[in-house]
Amino acid sequence: MQAIPIQQVAGGEILVNGRTITEDAIDQEVQYHPASSLQEARKEAARALSIRTMLITEAERQGITGENRQTAETQEEAQIRQLLDQELDNPEPDEAACRQYYESNRERFRSPSRYHVSHIFRPAPADDADARVAARERCRRIIRVCQADPGRFTRLAFKHSRCPSAEAGGDMGTVGPGDTSHDFEKALDRLPEGELSAHPLETRYGFHVVWLHERQRGDQLPYEAVKEKIATYLKESVWRRSVSQYLQILAGRSRIEGIDLSGADNPLVQ
């Protein structure tokens, strides 16, 4: 999604179909748009508010009041939903499309892999920069020692690891989804099987020296087991493309000042 340039977020006006996006509204919206900087978060907030206002004013122009709300919907959310339901064609994907997607992406449809792994763990709080630097450097030294003499891994785990697995020489046994942290699990997919990690693995808890002994790939899931998931994914993909195209058309015929929505994508209602 491309960032939308904002010329006047600080001190100027953003007008969408005659309605002002105020500084106060942007300040309140910022919390829903985490970004690398406050300036970028404000840009995202202003863009989302502008697109929302564009949709609301179009709903009102068409006489859509949002009276028939779904549970927990605000009136504006109901207006936007009803407008999009009316304007967009979102057909259900047929059997042929679902099966073609399955055949083209078979590797995505496997039961979860499992891993036999050992590690040496050096804890470091996420908000303690000095501790994280020290933990990373300690792991780097351990890796250098183990690369020169792999047989020392077990002894180093006993001495340096701060995980209960240290008592087993760092051996965690076979782990699968939910057994470790999400970022640790993701890293296991990338590590070479049967080898020591070349660099420390960073997680929110600290740093790890990892030895992936074996990767047990999951079994191929049959089409019947995943066809509903595929249908949902394809329908959502079509809907997102349709919304993106509709927003671009709507931006082209709206009166917009102070922000460029000509490339409006789909942040839609956060």
Side-chain angles (χ1 to χ4, degrees):
M1 185 182 299
Q2 294 181 344
I4 303 299
I6 297 177
Q7 295 101 13
Q8 299 176 336
V9 169
E13 279 192 338
I14 298 174
L15 295 172
V16 178
N17 292 328
R19 297 190 182 178
T20 302
I21 307 299
T22 66
E23 290 288 309
D24 286 345
I26 293 172
D27 289 341
Q28 293 175 19
E29 180 72 16
V30 160
Q31 62 183 310
Y32 304 113
H33 303 274
S36 58
S37 68
L38 178 59
Q39 181 182 14
E40 186 63 27
R42 286 178 61 79
K43 287 182 180 181
E44 294 296 321
R47 179 180 60 171
L49 288 172
S50 298
I51 291 175
R52 200 175 307 166
T53 301
M54 183 174 66
L55 289 165
I56 291 296
T57 54
E58 177 63 17
E60 292 175 351
R61 187 187 71 80
Q62 295 192 28
I64 297 173
T65 62
E67 291 179 357
N68 298 321
R69 305 184 205 173
Q70 296 179 348
T71 303
E73 261 187 338
T74 66
Q75 182 175 353
E76 287 190 349
E77 289 169 346
Q79 283 180 288
I80 291 173
R81 175 180 55 80
Q82 291 167 19
L83 172 67
L84 295 178
D85 286 346
Q86 175 179 297
E87 294 294 312
L88 304 182
D89 181 20
N90 193 23
E92 296 285 342
D94 59 22
E95 178 76 7
C98 292
R99 190 170 288 278
Q100 180 180 2
Y101 185 84
Y102 174 80
E103 294 298 338
S104 300
N105 299 274
R106 292 179 67 90
E107 287 302 308
R108 295 188 180 185
F109 303 109
R110 289 184 172 274
S111 59
S113 296
R114 296 186 65 79
Y115 310 89
H116 179 197
V117 62
S118 295
H119 80 148
I120 297 171
F121 173 54
R122 299 297 302 179
D127 58 355
D128 189 334
D130 290 340
R132 293 190 75 81
V133 169
R136 181 189 288 111
E137 185 54 37
R138 175 66 65 87
C139 286
R140 284 174 176 165
R141 291 199 298 268
I142 292 172
I143 288 173
R144 288 195 293 269
V145 171
C146 290
Q147 286 173 334
D149 182 3
R152 296 187 63 183
F153 182 93
T154 299
R155 284 171 288 167
L156 290 170
F158 275 121
K159 182 176 181 179
H160 296 288
S161 184
R162 296 298 179 265
C163 174
S165 64
E167 296 182 5
D171 192 341
M172 301 173 68
T174 301
V175 299
D179 293 333
T180 62
S181 66
H182 179 65
D183 38 5
F184 191 89
E185 289 177 10
K186 286 183 64 177
L188 292 179
D189 277 332
R190 300 190 299 268
L191 292 176
E193 187 175 5
E195 297 181 18
L196 184 75
S197 57
H199 305 283
L201 166 61
E202 180 176 4
T203 67
R204 67 174 74 86
Y205 302 109
F207 290 84
H208 313 250
V209 177
V210 181
W211 195 322
L212 179 59
H213 303 293
E214 181 185 8
R215 179 183 290 109
Q216 302 169 5
R217 297 189 66 207
D219 297 327
Q220 180 72 50
L221 297 173
Y223 170 72
E224 293 299 324
V226 296
K227 66 178 183 179
E228 291 186 9
K229 179 179 179 181
I230 292 173
T232 299
Y233 170 77
L234 292 179
K235 184 175 182 179
E236 290 178 351
S237 296
V238 170
W239 186 84
R240 288 181 181 277
R241 287 196 299 271
S242 297
V243 171
S244 180
Q245 293 169 0
Y246 179 65
L247 290 178
Q248 292 178 37
I249 293 170
L250 197 57
R253 66 183 189 221
S254 297
R255 302 185 308 278
I256 299 171
E257 302 175 33
I259 186 170
D260 180 9
L261 295 182
S262 59
D265 204 340
N266 179 22
L268 220 43
V269 185
Q270 301 293 326

